[in-house]
Amino acid sequence: MELEKEVKKITLGHETGSGAQCLKCKDKCEGFELHFWRKICRNCKCGLEDHDVQTTTEDDKKIGKLLEDTKYTSLIAKLKTDGVHHYKRNVVTMTNPVAAKKDVAIKAVTYEWTPPVPNQALAVRYIELLPKEKQPVAGTVGSVYRKKQMAKQLPEHDQDPTKCHELSPNEVKQMQQFVKKYKEEALGVGDIKVPEEMEAQNKEKGASEAGDRGTTAVVGALGNKTAPSKGAAYSCYRCQLCMKEGDPAVYAERAGFEKLWHPACFVCCTCNELLVDMIYFWKKGKLYCGRHYCDSEKPRCGGCDELIFSNEYTQAEDQNWHLKHFCCFDCDCVLAGEIYVMVNNKPVCKACYMKNHAALCQGCRNALEPEAQRVTYGNFNWHAEPECFLCSCCTKCLIGQKFMPIEGMLFCSAECKKKMTS
């Protein structure tokens, strides 16, 4: 009964971001309109994250749901307004007085997220150690980067069946079990500490618990065991370079506290992008973002971008597809048994290819069929036929012959070229 209720609740949230301008296509897009099963705009084919949509509230709800029933519940809170768990982002605004002639101007910098630690200066230092273009400062490219990574790395449809398209009751149950399993075994949120302070705390803890445990774990991989300086004693698990004394390091509890990372090295092993808000998935000695962890566990549909929980699906063009989603990217017609062409890694039916994507023959000015033999030179194309690939002056067939190309025209000789261009 509960599963039936879950299935009935399933929706793609078509009102979210409706009409928002595309930041990539500008005026070419009429405004965001969610495709009825793909996670893209019907008008321009770009994702929601590429449109001018304020997704902060939705993102906070998404992360709140992700961290439910985990040991990270201190990072979420249930709001009285909607009763839904929201992510308690640690937003920090730093103000610095700047002398401006006789007056004193206040320059404020707002970080849309910082590590949730009591020491605000340490949190800001962590941000400063990230690449400038990836620092989550409000109103900068770093803010846009965080927003895109939040959508890319932690897709809502990887954890919430109600955000998926037409799951069966059995698929809903499988997905719920899958999410529960990765929350128990892989999901974690990084923590930042100064390694020297962390080691001192562990030594004190080890001393107080002597007898309960034989040894205390060494904090950080030692880079120089003979005579290390304080900073050089700790090396990053990813780049193997030493930590700078006094700088914060990132720790991942599931990896063990003997491992640590530079802030800029705490990245997904697949996409090599910063793990957004230090949310990680740990598997077989590697850090993953949510998307690529799920990809390592389940096939993902190349059409709807959802994980596949059905036993029946198809494989084509090195991708997996729900049977009902192997469709033309332009018109959504089912492609099973039909001729299709891959355009930008997306399948397109022959009719749409001819209408929207086919190159024009410079000879006959007709579209080139995908299976047609052709001659290509630079950005120009011709049917590999005597009536198309010929001299623009004397109409001599040039197939298998030397030719002189000029701005889409072909010439068999300097004489013909001279006649046409003089």
Side-chain angles (χ1 to χ4, degrees):
M1 196 66 183
E2 288 300 318
L3 283 176
E4 290 179 4
K5 290 180 181 178
E6 197 74 27
V7 173
K8 287 179 181 178
K9 280 168 41 184
I10 289 177
T11 174
L12 289 177
H14 285 73
E15 298 304 316
T16 302
S18 180
Q21 181 189 26
C22 182
L23 301 174
K24 292 171 66 175
C25 303
K26 305 297 183 182
D27 293 338
K28 294 179 181 179
C29 174
E30 296 176 8
F32 185 77
E33 181 184 354
L34 186 63
H35 187 278
F36 70 101
W37 55 266
R38 300 184 195 272
K39 310 301 184 293
I40 58 172
C41 174
R42 297 184 65 165
N43 293 319
C44 67
K45 310 291 187 183
C46 296
L48 178 66
E49 67 275 10
D50 294 315
H51 290 74
D52 188 19
V53 181
Q54 296 301 316
T55 58
T56 303
T57 301
E58 294 304 315
D59 286 341
D60 288 349
K61 288 181 181 179
K62 174 177 71 175
I63 303 305
K65 187 172 181 64
L66 179 67
L67 299 180
E68 277 182 355
D69 304 318
T70 70
K71 62 173 60 181
Y72 304 102
T73 51
S74 61
L75 298 178
I76 60 177
K78 185 174 286 188
L79 299 188
K80 294 180 180 179
T81 52
D82 56 15
V84 176
H85 279 111
H86 284 243
Y87 180 35
K88 295 192 298 184
R89 286 179 299 112
N90 194 38
V91 180
V92 172
T93 299
M94 303 291 288
T95 56
N96 297 309
V98 179
K101 296 182 180 180
K102 296 181 180 180
D103 300 321
V104 176
I106 302 298
K107 182 181 179 182
V109 176
T110 298
Y111 299 96
E112 295 183 344
W113 171 86
T114 61
V117 292
N119 187 339
Q120 193 177 83
L122 188 66
V124 172
R125 178 58 182 157
Y126 161 88
I127 297 294
E128 292 173 345
L129 291 172
L130 302 178
K132 187 74 175 177
E133 70 278 8
K134 297 181 179 181
Q135 295 176 7
V137 178
T140 69
V141 293
S143 172
V144 176
Y145 172 80
R146 178 181 174 272
K147 172 187 169 185
K148 289 191 173 184
Q149 291 307 310
M150 184 67 72
K152 187 73 174 177
Q153 294 186 11
L154 301 168
E156 205 166 15
H157 49 271
D158 277 9
Q159 61 153 321
D160 188 350
T162 69
K163 303 301 179 182
C164 298
H165 180 64
E166 294 183 345
L167 294 185
S168 68
N170 183 51
E171 288 172 320
V172 171
K173 183 178 180 180
Q174 287 188 60
M175 184 174 187
Q176 290 172 335
Q177 292 172 341
F178 174 71
V179 172
K180 181 180 179 181
K181 187 172 185 289
Y182 73 54
K183 285 187 177 185
E184 292 174 349
E185 299 179 0
L187 174 64
V189 180
D191 192 14
I192 63 165
K193 300 282 186 182
V194 176
E196 295 87 354
E197 295 176 2
M198 185 76 165
E199 183 176 18
Q201 290 174 9
N202 272 6
K203 284 182 178 179
E204 291 177 7
K205 185 177 180 181
S208 65
E209 295 180 1
D212 294 335
R213 292 197 304 269
T215 58
T216 303
V218 177
V219 180
L222 291 178
N224 180 0
K225 295 183 180 180
T226 53
S229 66
K230 288 184 179 179
Y234 310 95
S235 59
C236 172
Y237 184 70
R238 180 173 185 260
C239 71
Q240 301 301 309
L241 297 178
C242 294
M243 305 296 299
K244 184 178 178 181
E245 183 178 353
D247 273 351
V250 185
Y251 291 86
E253 184 179 3
R254 291 193 184 275
F257 287 107
E258 73 280 0
K259 300 179 181 67
L260 51 80
W261 288 261
H262 289 111
C265 289
F266 200 63
V267 300
C268 170
C269 68
T270 301
C271 61
N272 291 318
E273 295 290 349
L274 285 177
L275 291 164
V276 65
D277 292 12
M278 299 195 301
I279 298 171
Y280 69 89
F281 290 72
W282 181 254
K283 179 181 176 181
K284 296 181 179 179
K286 293 182 179 180
L287 290 169
Y288 290 86
C289 67
R291 170 177 290 274
H292 291 116
Y293 171 81
C294 291
D295 286 351
S296 74
E297 294 285 318
K298 296 287 182 182
R300 186 182 296 278
C301 178
C304 67
D305 196 51
E306 295 172 15
L307 300 174
I308 300 175
F309 291 94
S310 170
N311 292 328
E312 295 184 351
Y313 62 95
T314 189
Q315 293 179 314
E317 306 297 335
D318 297 322
Q319 297 183 68
N320 303 296
W321 312 79
H322 287 113
L323 296 179
K324 60 188 176 185
H325 288 164
F326 188 57
C327 303
C328 172
F329 192 64
D330 286 4
C331 72
D332 291 327
C333 72
V334 178
L335 294 173
E338 301 294 331
I339 295 175
Y340 66 90
V341 183
M342 295 301 288
V343 178
N344 297 324
N345 210 33
K346 301 293 184 184
V348 176
C349 71
K350 184 177 178 179
C352 285
Y353 174 81
M354 294 296 291
K355 178 182 176 182
N356 304 324
H357 307 285
L360 290 180
C361 172
Q362 291 297 116
C364 67
R365 306 305 298 175
N366 292 321
L368 285 154
E369 299 83 356
E371 66 272 20
Q373 293 292 316
R374 69 185 68 191
V375 178
T376 300
Y377 189 89
N379 295 323
F380 302 105
N381 300 270
W382 295 264
H383 285 106
E385 302 290 343
E387 58 270 26
C388 292
F389 194 65
L390 42 74
C391 177
S392 298
C393 179
C394 68
T395 68
K396 175 185 175 181
C397 177
L398 296 176
I399 296 175
Q401 305 295 317
K402 291 182 179 180
F403 62 92
M404 303 173 68
I406 295 181
E407 293 298 323
M409 295 188 293
L410 303 172
F411 301 103
C412 63
S413 64
E415 289 76 13
C416 281
K417 174 187 172 185
K418 187 176 181 181
K419 286 180 184 179
M420 291 292 289
T421 57
S422 60

